[in-house]
Amino acid sequence: MVALAQTPPSADRLRAIDDFLAEAWADQQAHDDRLRGLAVEVRFDRGVAHVTGEVADQAELRLVRERIGRLAGVFGVWCGVRVAGRDPVVVDLGCGATKQWPGNLGLDIFPAAGVDAVADLSGSLPLADDSVDVFFAVHILEHLIDFLPLLDECHRVLRPGGVLHVMSPWWGHVNAVADPTHVRLLDVQTIKGVCLMRPPGTPRWFPLHAGCDGASIFADLTPVPADAEAPTKSHVARFFD
């Protein structure tokens, strides 16, 4: 029997980490001239930063995401921030009855309380090019035998600077195999493959953040053009072996 190195933190520890992160972010925002005065609020929930408020442009939003993501203990940075007076278009993929945020557009293959449009997520999405700011793929990729076509569709539909938020069971946790409808096992290294190991000519992703808490893997990905420079070694080393 092989002992797995990662174990999920206890609920008490997660609450303590969230408190630490809230204090660390408040301190950073108070002492960083670039962040001071920005009308954003950050709430931490089990290591995931939920960011709301408003910024003037995409550059400010990128700065907020990047600075939050540098805090030790953050697994994801989920943003519902208005940019230049426009509310973000947020889509929940495979949401069922539960959306990540109440105002999201919910897509799923079966009708349910949270589903606004029925769509087969293994095929094309009923959404226009460059029309969405944020996708949530929370506990959905593990249900798809081949999830790359869905990621390619997200790449097509996301606006420049948009983000795909991924959360799935980690392969080493019982949750990954307890559900008989799970057909894929995932790891943070799977995200590395999505970002760095696909053949030329396929849609490219830049990893804003990736991590594992011992039960789930998390990733924040943004689409990049085919001719964009590859992430630096130091950036990649933050997340991947």
Side-chain angles (χ1 to χ4, degrees):
M1 181 175 181
V2 177
L4 297 174
Q6 288 183 292
T7 56
S10 67
D12 286 343
R13 186 183 179 199
L14 285 169
R15 282 192 291 269
I17 291 173
D18 286 340
D19 290 343
F20 162 79
L21 290 171
E23 293 174 4
W25 171 248
D27 183 68
Q28 183 169 235
Q29 191 171 24
H31 291 89
D32 189 327
D33 290 340
R34 299 169 299 174
L35 300 172
R36 189 185 302 119
L38 292 185
V40 295
E41 296 182 1
V42 184
R43 176 180 61 88
F44 294 94
D45 182 10
R46 302 175 66 88
V48 175
H50 295 258
V51 189
T52 55
E54 184 166 358
V55 294
D57 52 37
Q58 282 288 342
E60 288 187 349
L61 182 58
R62 285 195 300 271
L63 174 66
V64 169
R65 283 178 177 146
E66 194 271 338
R67 301 315 297 182
I68 296 173
R70 284 177 174 259
L71 297 176
V74 170
F75 295 115
V77 183
W78 293 3
C79 288
V81 176
R82 288 170 56 89
V83 178
R86 183 179 65 81
D87 288 324
V89 177
V90 185
V91 175
D92 240 312
L93 298 170
C95 63
T98 305
K99 296 177 182 178
Q100 300 308 308
W101 296 331
N104 295 355
L105 171 67
L107 299 183
D108 207 327
I109 194 170
F110 298 115
V115 177
D116 299 293
V118 174
D120 182 356
L121 300 183
S122 63
S124 59
L125 296 177
L127 299 165
D129 294 0
D130 303 325
S131 61
V132 169
D133 297 287
V134 176
F135 274 114
F136 281 106
V138 176
H139 293 298
I140 179 62
L141 299 189
E142 64 272 17
H143 293 276
L144 301 175
I145 294 174
D146 183 4
F147 57 74
L148 291 177
L150 175 60
L151 298 190
D152 291 350
E153 278 291 279
C154 291
H155 193 286
R156 174 184 67 81
V157 173
L158 279 172
R159 293 187 172 115
V163 179
L164 167 63
H165 298 302
V166 174
M167 179 181 177
S168 284
W170 177 52
W171 70 270
H173 192 271
V174 66
N175 289 347
V177 294
D179 187 338
T181 66
H182 290 177
V183 294
R184 292 294 301 268
L185 296 176
L186 295 130
D187 186 79
V188 176
Q189 294 299 107
T190 311
I191 304 302
K192 177 183 179 180
V194 167
C195 295
L196 304 176
M197 300 175 67
R198 296 194 66 193
T202 53
R204 292 186 55 200
W205 295 93
F206 182 90
L208 299 172
H209 210 79
C212 177
D213 67 358
S216 303
I217 65 162
F218 301 83
D220 298 337
L221 309 177
T222 190
V224 293
D227 58 354
E229 293 185 5
T232 63
K233 289 184 179 180
S234 59
H235 181 82
V236 171
R238 292 176 58 202
F239 314 127
F240 311 124
D241 292 335

